[in-house]
Amino acid sequence: MALPTLTTDVLVVFGLVGVAILFFVTDYVRPDVTALSVIVALVVLEPWTGVGAEQAFMGFANTATVTVAAMYMLSEGVHRTGVVRRLGAFITRIAQDSPSRMTQTTLVLAGGLAGVVNNTPVVAVLIPMVTDLADTYRISPSKLLLPLSYAAMLGGTLTLIGSSTILLASTISARLIDHPFSMFEFTHLGLLGLGVGIVYLSTIGQRLLPSRVAPSIDLIELFDLRTYVSRLYIRERSPLVGQTIVKATESLPINSDQQILEVVRDGDRYAAPGPDFVLEARDVIIVRADQETLRAAAPTLDLWQLPWMSVADRDRTVPAGIGTLVEVKVPNGSDLVGQAVGSLGARERYKATILAVQRNGEIIHEQFDDLVLERGDTLVFRTASGNVDVLRDTTNLILTAVAGSGKFEGTATGKVRANRAPVVVAIIAGVVLIAAFGLLSIAIAALGGVVAMIVTGVLEPDEAYEAISWNVIFLLAGMIPLGMALENSGGATWIAQLVAELAGLMPPVAVLLLFYVLAALLTNIILPNATVVLLIPIAIDVALAIGVNPFSFVLAVTFAASTSFLTPLGYQTNLMVFGPGGYEFSDFFRVGAPLQAILAVVTTLGIMLFWGL
């Protein structure tokens, strides 16, 4: 066997690839910093890499980079309108209380949708839903977002329009062997891969995935506290001015002095004010009571009922907040089992106020002082952030969630634009259809969608820019020129020639598997479309040379290039979840390598079974 010649150019570029991968895997420096360093190195070593200053910055103008940035913005628009909450509620009804069933349902949904529309917008739309589901089930979003990307990639192999890579491969196949792909020609093979992938990602993959990002627990929403906790502004002529907490409690439609949780005065906060605390004009009091009852009493007492966000009053801002919310459970064997809630002495014992009790799915907000605690009851305390350790250290309660640190943790009502939900659905549908029918590229269609969201008031420009994970953009833009260098130097061709030489020494099935593995590796470096352009012609030549079915080899390269699991760089959906999931570079290899190995065998055997050699 005659090995292809290794030139100095190839060795230099291979060296850069190796160093970059080493930094990515070890996380010695941030991935985006490594990518920017690669740009500098490529230009400094231009005589060998063939990448000058102009080419080095082409990654920033690459359609993949623009698409990822635009998809982040579209995803934010979907999130701002809450349009996927109904879908999330549907999944929750199916999954009930089972996180594993929820994971499987989500992956089936992502894979199925990606088969009929391009997988990139599918991930953009589902990221907010998956994040919300993670919060609902109290699991890390990191456990769901990477599987979401992988499932969407696998779903993209179900039909001709699932991904741009398959469309490109069909064009090349039509030109070289007069065999374009029909819409459902390989759906059965795609379903096989998707099924295997879902089983892996919902079982073994879950064990391999780290919990990089903690779930965001919104106790206000979870325990429906918004209706039972109010902010009242005391006006100059209010009869509460000059009254103690005890006297004010008698005037307000509440039951005891423990219902006034906090007083905010000139920016200072007085948590759990004592009975002799004297109220003044312009104080803001945080009260636990039925909101409708307070609303009826507020005009008589010359009070303003304030919304749950900062509001301007003359020349100052009234700060919002109810302190820190802490969720605790009553464990088996707790000394509190059998005690009435009112006898706990929460203020004295825990320096906190009880806002709600949950038992067997029922939430109790009022008149729970006589409720006798049972094992498994959940309580929500309001306390100061410095007192959380008091609840954490007690053996009678198990702390399960903390939300807030001197500020209200619910979603600001001013930012949720539910009335724009029909608009955002129309925009997303337009982006998908325009890209699916090839009227415009996915990048231009997505940018058009962003412009439409801003014009129609779904997004503010600042919100759109803030939605982008810029470290991901710089990571992608910095690594695209490295793929160019691999092609310019002849490194990618050298690898392909080596495989072609090895083909003569191996049985046909091993050659088919080898091309799958090669395509899977290259697509993580030079991107999927470049991989099919480079490898499909070589794969066809090798297949014809050894006398086997060339279409089988086309499919092997196409499927491998369409399912890039080893790094976040190989496919734009991986990059889209990289930031929200808080992933490290090595997480993709840890979870993706076993899946890639399994699918290499499954896909190769499937091609042999369905199309033969």
Side-chain angles (χ1 to χ4, degrees), residues 499-568:
V499 172
E501 290 290 337
L502 290 172
L505 307 175
M506 304 167 68
V509 63
V511 179
L512 185 67
L513 176 63
L514 186 61
F515 267 100
Y516 183 98
V517 172
L518 176 61
L521 293 174
L522 277 181
T523 196
N524 289 280
I525 302 173
I526 64 172
L527 303 183
N529 288 354
T531 298
V532 297
V533 169
L534 173 71
L535 280 189
I536 285 181
I538 297 173
I540 289 173
D541 288 344
V542 169
L544 293 174
I546 61 178
V548 295
N549 182 7
F551 186 68
S552 295
F553 280 68
V554 170
L555 286 177
V557 172
T558 302
F559 269 67
S562 302
T563 51
S564 174
F565 304 133
L566 303 181
T567 75

Side-chain angles (χ1 to χ4, degrees), residues 532-613:
V532 297
V533 169
L534 173 71
L535 280 189
I536 285 181
I538 297 173
I540 289 173
D541 288 344
V542 169
L544 293 174
I546 61 178
V548 295
N549 182 7
F551 186 68
S552 295
F553 280 68
V554 170
L555 286 177
V557 172
T558 302
F559 269 67
S562 302
T563 51
S564 174
F565 304 133
L566 303 181
T567 75
L569 302 171
Y571 205 77
Q572 48 209 27
T573 58
N574 284 352
L575 285 163
M576 289 166 62
V577 302
F578 186 79
Y583 296 113
E584 295 180 0
F585 202 89
S586 57
D587 295 335
F588 288 82
F589 187 83
R590 181 187 301 113
V591 180
L595 178 59
Q596 196 83 75
I598 293 170
L599 287 176
V601 175
V602 169
T603 304
T604 300
L605 294 178
I607 290 172
M608 287 182 58
L609 175 65
F610 299 134
W611 289 275
L613 283 179

